[in-house]
Amino acid sequence: MMTMTLEMESLKTRLRTTWMSGDYGYFAKYLLPGAMDFLNRLDIAPGTRMLDVACGAGQIAIPAARAGVDVTGIDIAANLIDQAQARARAEKLDVRFDEGDAERLPYADASFDLVVSLIGAMFAPVPERVAAELVRVCRPGGRIVMAPPVKWGDEATVRERLRDGIAKLSVSRRLYPMRYPFPPSEVVEFFRLYYGPTNRAFASLDPVGRSSLRHDLEQLWDRNNLAGRGATNVNSEYLEVVAIRD
């Protein structure tokens, strides 16, 4: 196990606070269609040992468990783990949810047949550690599947990070549908209230800064909106990464 410096401990505390802000479980309800598209493409056989890294409130872990998959989920935000556990109990699903760090997964080597992360583990500050941990806990011949945008969404970067211990790696560019039955201005407010990073960004600014940020975000959503008035329809590109463990 790696020991963390005080500086890194402080950073992790801030990250945990960020993701515990807002209400990601509620926020993610409009992201469910894209999440289910991702999950369905995995074509997971019942009984498969699956680890969902940065699982949130169980967005894909719960549906996978319904299909008979042996699911474990892990997330840095304790309140999201609580939500996921409550959902599993309500549906009488046998799912294990743990609070933990994607850079220091608390599982033995080769514990899982499938390790997935849907736009989650990519937020950890040291991506090389994340990549090494995803590989470590996956059994030989098992799959590691990620849906990452930003720098993780660059193919050359992904191939560099998932180089050691990987027998085969393929990537596909996908579009994640973001559909809201309200206009861009309300989408920005929805993010401010319920999405942790946006919530904390607004909270860190003075009134002038908040007004400027709101204006910029509204313009961004509006420019990319494919829907008519009164709704928001944006397709966000990401890289779907499928790696086979050596």
Side-chain angles (χ1 to χ4, degrees), residues 6-198:
L6 289 177
E7 181 180 4
M8 184 58 74
E9 288 280 11
S10 176
L11 174 58
K12 291 299 177 72
T13 297
R14 294 197 300 274
L15 285 173
R16 189 174 293 106
T17 298
T18 294
W19 289 108
M20 291 183 69
S21 301
D23 184 346
Y24 190 83
Y26 182 73
F27 170 82
K29 70 175 187 175
Y30 290 109
L31 302 178
L32 185 58
M36 293 307 298
D37 287 344
F38 172 79
L39 181 62
N40 290 335
R41 282 194 299 271
L42 296 179
D43 191 24
I44 313 171
T48 298
R49 298 171 301 162
M50 169 182 149
L51 175 65
D52 182 7
V53 181
C55 65
Q59 188 177 21
I60 61 173
I62 295 292
R66 287 192 203 115
V69 178
D70 180 4
V71 182
T72 298
I74 186 168
D75 199 279
I76 198 171
N79 59 336
L80 298 183
I81 291 298
D82 289 344
Q83 289 183 31
Q85 290 171 335
R87 291 181 62 192
R89 285 194 299 270
E91 296 193 35
K92 296 181 171 56
L93 295 172
D94 184 15
V95 188
R96 173 180 174 179
F97 287 107
D98 298 317
E99 181 185 349
D101 186 343
E103 295 177 6
R104 300 189 299 174
L105 295 172
Y107 311 112
D109 297 356
S111 292
F112 301 96
D113 306 306
L114 172 64
V115 179
V116 303
S117 185
L118 175 60
I119 312 178
M122 51 165 274
F123 289 109
V126 187
E128 293 77 15
R129 290 183 183 175
V130 173
E133 284 292 272
L134 299 182
V135 173
R136 181 184 66 78
V137 300
C138 186
R139 68 162 175 83
R143 286 186 295 166
I144 301 159
V145 186
M146 299 180 71
V150 199
K151 191 62 175 175
W152 267 104
D154 174 71
E155 182 175 346
T157 299
V158 169
R159 289 188 180 279
E160 175 64 24
R161 291 173 178 171
L162 288 173
R163 179 183 58 190
D164 297 335
I166 297 300
K168 181 181 178 181
L169 188 146
S170 61
V171 298
S172 304
R173 296 215 167 266
R174 305 281 187 187
L175 294 176
Y176 200 111
M178 304 181 77
R179 310 284 186 264
Y180 301 94
F182 37 80
S185 59
E186 293 183 32
V187 172
V188 173
E189 180 64 4
F190 182 76
F191 270 69
R192 186 191 72 80
L193 290 173
Y194 301 113
Y195 183 58
T198 307

